Amino acid sequence: MSRRAIIIAALAAVALPAAASAQDFAITNATVATGDGSAPIEHGTVIVRGGKVVAAGAGVAVPAGLRSVDGTGKWVTPGLFSAVTDLGLWDVEAVSNSNDTEADKSPFNAALDVAPAINPSSEHIAISREGGVTRASVAPFNGGSIFAGQGALIGLGTGPDTVNASRAFQFVELGEAGARLAGGSRVAAHVALRNALREAREVAAAPNAGRSSDALLTRADAVALAPVLDGRQPLYVGVERAADIRSVLALKTEFPKLNLVLVGATEGWLVAGAIAAAKVPVITMPLRDLPASFESLAATQSNVGRMKKAGVKVAIGMFAGSNQPRYAPQQAGNLVALNKLPGAVGLTWGEALAAITSIPAEISGMGGKEGVLAPGAVGDVVIWDGDPLELSSAPVEVYIDGVKQPLDNHQSRLKQRYKSLDRTYLPKAYDW
């Protein structure tokens, strides 16, 4: 090999360091919460090998020679799964050049795919990882159509391979927002939705045929909706009002294979029986308890608890903008505390943790693989310094696929910088 080739190879090795490999380890003597809805287990053990969970629970024997971490006084949970986020799609929300959440001037809508725009180096991903978030679904925002486009599933580990699954779901907005986008009424929104699905059905049936002169969708959008028609791609529907939820559930009469997921459902508790009977899951934000609009007049913090009691699969999500994914434990913890209020309906501790771990993973098609400490699941493990649903607790170690993750980010570095700032040479105006 020539000297020039050797130098080039050396520079490449420096520029592209090898990815960290999965570690084999056991965490012992900890309070273990598996994320499946069950109560925490005292003096539990978690074993991870080859990037996968091997065992978790009480009475688990640690194989000889396996590196062991003493979890005395600590809590261990699966990594949090944040559903319907904008992670990796923007740097500064108000700066359009750094914001890829929506494309209101694009001729396309349903065909839009967020995956190519997701930035693995986003500080929002690093900040969320510090908060114990290891997986997320990323959704686009609506631009000029009721169809926002196709979301992705991501892992929050370091490295370039952030996207785990592209085109994981299609997002459509109905209710008040959909009415505005469709021309001013819910009537127009439902006509637009049904017309789009019918055009997609026609294109899927005859992909090489010419299209009608009155077709409203671009061919790319029609093709993108084909997987929605046969249920291969879930259709996430943004909807709040009870009447609107009923209208969405009725879509399955005309399109029986639709794989529906309700997003928002502020008044879901009013029609919880119908949602449960249709076996349609819900992703919602539990603290939406004020009638901020006409479609949320029946808002209540008991929404999640009442839907859960009726048999609805409910995940906590909708983490975008200032409602960051790392706030998920706070949202879940409030649902536990809600049980202490007369007349209110909350969740048990185990159910609340499941609402931010295993249930959003199940809704995203990753049931049993993510958001849970169970044999064969990914080695996403978080060690907390206390009860993870308490505001005073924080992660001390985060593993993704069995790889220990760095927890530093721009915010934590600023905190350390100014926490012990030398004030000796500051101007008098800053001399406290």
Side-chain angles (χ1 to χ4, degrees):
M1 181 183 291
S2 68
R3 180 185 300 178
R4 182 173 180 272
I6 294 173
I7 294 173
I8 291 175
L11 290 173
V14 172
L16 299 171
S21 58
Q23 301 159 336
D24 296 343
F25 61 93
I27 305 169
T28 61
N29 301 316
T31 300
V32 175
T34 60
D36 62 359
S38 60
I41 302 166
E42 299 289 341
H43 308 295
T45 297
V46 176
I47 296 177
V48 175
R49 275 189 158 172
K52 302 285 185 181
V53 176
V54 174
V60 175
V62 179
L66 188 65
R67 181 175 72 89
S68 183
V69 177
D70 184 9
T72 301
K74 304 292 195 301
W75 288 59
V76 180
T77 70
L80 307 184
F81 193 115
S82 290
V84 188
T85 75
D86 54 7
L87 285 175
L89 291 181
W90 59 280
D91 296 310
V92 179
E93 193 169 16
V95 178
S96 60
N97 289 339
S98 74
N99 191 330
D100 292 301
T101 56
E102 64 182 58
D104 55 354
K105 296 180 176 62
S106 171
F108 306 104
N109 44 75
L112 299 173
D113 173 13
V114 301
I118 293 174
N119 176 18
S121 300
S122 168
E123 281 298 322
H124 304 106
I125 289 179
I127 290 168
S128 298
R129 183 170 60 236
E130 182 194 21
V133 181
T134 61
R135 308 280 166 171
S137 58
V138 181
F141 293 177
N142 293 84
S145 165
I146 61 171
F147 291 101
Q150 301 170 93
L153 305 183
I154 68 169
L156 275 68
T158 56
D161 300 324
T162 299
V163 177
N164 298 152
S166 60
R167 303 177 183 178
F169 57 91
Q170 177 73 235
F171 193 98
V172 64
E173 189 72 61
L174 297 180
E176 290 182 5
R180 289 194 300 270
L181 291 165
S185 77
R186 287 174 169 82
V187 175
H190 277 274
V191 171
L193 174 58
R194 283 175 165 81
N195 178 75
L197 293 177
R198 289 166 186 155
E199 287 191 23
R201 185 161 55 192
E202 291 172 0
V203 170
N208 298 319
R211 301 184 66 201
S212 171
S213 60
D214 64 351
L216 298 179
L217 295 186
T218 65
R219 178 174 288 275
D221 289 334
V223 170
L225 286 173
V228 171
L229 282 169
D230 60 18
R232 285 180 291 127
Q233 187 183 62
L235 181 64
Y236 283 32
V237 185
V239 67
E240 307 292 349
R241 194 171 71 176
D244 293 333
I245 293 172
R246 291 192 189 96
S247 295
V248 171
L249 298 180
L251 285 170
K252 297 196 75 169
T253 302
E254 184 175 355
F255 305 98
K257 293 184 178 181
L258 288 182
N259 183 4
L260 297 173
V261 176
L262 300 180
V263 179
T266 298
E267 293 189 350
W269 66 278
L270 291 174
V271 288
I275 299 172
K279 297 182 180 179
V280 172
V282 172
I283 299 171
T284 190
M285 188 192 307
L287 298 187
R288 305 171 86 185
D289 59 344
L290 295 175
S293 63
F294 283 104
E295 64 181 357
S296 60
L297 294 178
T300 171
Q301 286 193 38
S302 293
N303 184 36
V304 172
R306 290 171 180 170
M307 285 194 289
K308 170 71 176 176
K309 189 174 181 180
V312 180
K313 183 180 293 184
V314 188
I316 295 173
M318 303 177 69
F319 295 104
S322 60
N323 187 35
Q324 300 176 29
R326 60 176 172 164
Y327 298 153
Q330 174 186 344
Q331 303 257 10
N334 282 338
L335 290 178
V336 178
L338 200 61
N339 291 314
K340 298 180 180 180
L341 298 180
V345 182
L347 300 178
T348 67
W349 194 99
E351 290 170 343
L353 181 68
I356 56 176
T357 54
S358 63
I359 294 179
E362 287 177 24
I363 293 174
S364 300
M366 303 305 294
K369 299 177 182 178
E370 297 175 1
V372 66
L373 297 178
V378 295
D380 291 5
V381 181
V382 182
I383 304 177
W384 306 75
D385 58 12
D387 181 341
L389 302 190
E390 291 290 340
L391 283 175
S392 58
S393 302
V396 292
E397 291 186 22
V398 175
Y399 295 83
I400 298 179
D401 290 321
V403 179
K404 188 174 181 179
Q405 301 293 315
L407 300 184
D408 65 310
N409 54 70
H410 186 60
Q411 287 187 359
S412 64
R413 289 190 292 271
L414 285 175
K415 173 187 173 182
Q416 292 304 318
R417 176 180 178 182
Y418 290 103
K419 185 176 181 180
S420 57
L421 185 66
D422 183 1
R423 305 179 185 279
T424 305
Y425 300 105
L426 289 176
K428 280 295 181 182
Y430 297 92
D431 187 357
W432 300 346

